[in-house]
Amino acid sequence: MMLSRPARRASLVVHVAASASWLGLTLGLLALGITATATGSAVTAEACVRGMKLFADWLLLPVAFLTLLSGVLLSMGTPWGLAHHRWVYIKFWLTLATTAATAFALRPGVNSALAALTAGGPLPGARAVLAGPVVSLSAYVFMTAISVLKPWGLTRRGRNHRAAARAAKRVDGGPRVSTGPENRTRD
């Protein structure tokens, strides 16, 4: 199934906007986490962690799922394919991993930090509020870089698909069949 040009463009806009939102939310979490660990004020630390909880509970997972779903739609509805190019395949698995880490590591870490602060105790270490945003930010910057650079070439499945398309073209003798984005120019 190939997306029509308007559907592909709309999906691309949604994917880029969701990805940029996820990156921006992570930068916000990192700024709040740094402030919470660096401040000497318990009130400021608690306010920062409360802000982190708000981002983590209401914004991160919906944006993560929108990024994941729009990326899968784009990969399945365009010649790039989900498993034809290594960079697409790696982005898929990293997006899945960071979504799971958001749900099962970042959110619980923020929740435990907030519980400690509201109980009147100190912040339970910088790791609780900094590890998640640092790891996430690193993954998102890496995924952005491979989206732009498109390194590593085809997967085995992509090579087989390309070879089958070329063989079908030779048999048919018909017009050239586009086998994917390899015909596009790179900047």
Side-chain angles (χ1 to χ4, degrees), residues 107-160:
R107 290 179 71 215
V110 168
N111 289 338
S112 68
L114 184 59
L117 288 170
T118 55
L123 188 65
R127 185 172 181 249
V129 293
L130 290 179
V134 168
V135 170
S136 296
L137 182 62
S138 301
Y140 306 150
V141 169
F142 176 73
M143 287 188 279
T144 300
I146 65 174
S147 294
V148 172
L149 300 174
K150 298 172 182 43
W152 307 311
L154 296 170
T155 62
R156 181 179 302 151
R157 181 177 178 172
R159 287 189 302 271
N160 292 341

Side-chain angles (χ1 to χ4, degrees), residues 1-185:
M1 169 199 81
M2 288 294 154
L3 294 173
S4 66
R5 184 177 177 153
R8 181 178 43 85
R9 286 181 165 190
S11 299
L12 183 60
V13 167
V14 168
H15 183 66
V16 170
S19 299
S21 297
W22 203 5
L23 180 63
L25 284 168
T26 302
L27 285 170
L29 285 172
L30 184 59
L32 288 169
I34 289 170
T35 304
T37 58
T39 187
S41 167
V43 173
T44 302
E46 185 178 341
C48 288
V49 175
R50 283 187 186 280
M52 291 179 77
K53 182 172 173 37
L54 182 67
F55 282 177
D57 287 349
W58 293 100
L59 297 173
L60 277 178
L61 283 179
V63 168
F65 283 121
L66 185 58
T67 301
L68 181 64
L69 293 175
S70 62
V72 168
L73 176 65
L74 277 170
S75 66
M76 299 302 287
T78 63
W80 289 107
L82 182 60
H84 291 197
H85 293 81
R86 284 185 182 100
W87 70 271
V88 176
Y89 200 58
I90 289 170
K91 271 189 66 175
F92 168 73
W93 286 108
L94 275 174
T95 302
L96 203 58
T98 52
T99 301
T102 296
F104 301 115
L106 187 141
R107 290 179 71 215
V110 168
N111 289 338
S112 68
L114 184 59
L117 288 170
T118 55
L123 188 65
R127 185 172 181 249
V129 293
L130 290 179
V134 168
V135 170
S136 296
L137 182 62
S138 301
Y140 306 150
V141 169
F142 176 73
M143 287 188 279
T144 300
I146 65 174
S147 294
V148 172
L149 300 174
K150 298 172 182 43
W152 307 311
L154 296 170
T155 62
R156 181 179 302 151
R157 181 177 178 172
R159 287 189 302 271
N160 292 341
H161 178 72
R162 183 182 287 175
R166 285 182 179 156
K169 179 185 169 222
R170 280 188 291 245
V171 170
D172 291 343
R176 184 176 187 288
V177 176
S178 173
T179 58
E182 69 277 358
N183 299 322
R184 297 181 187 170
T185 60

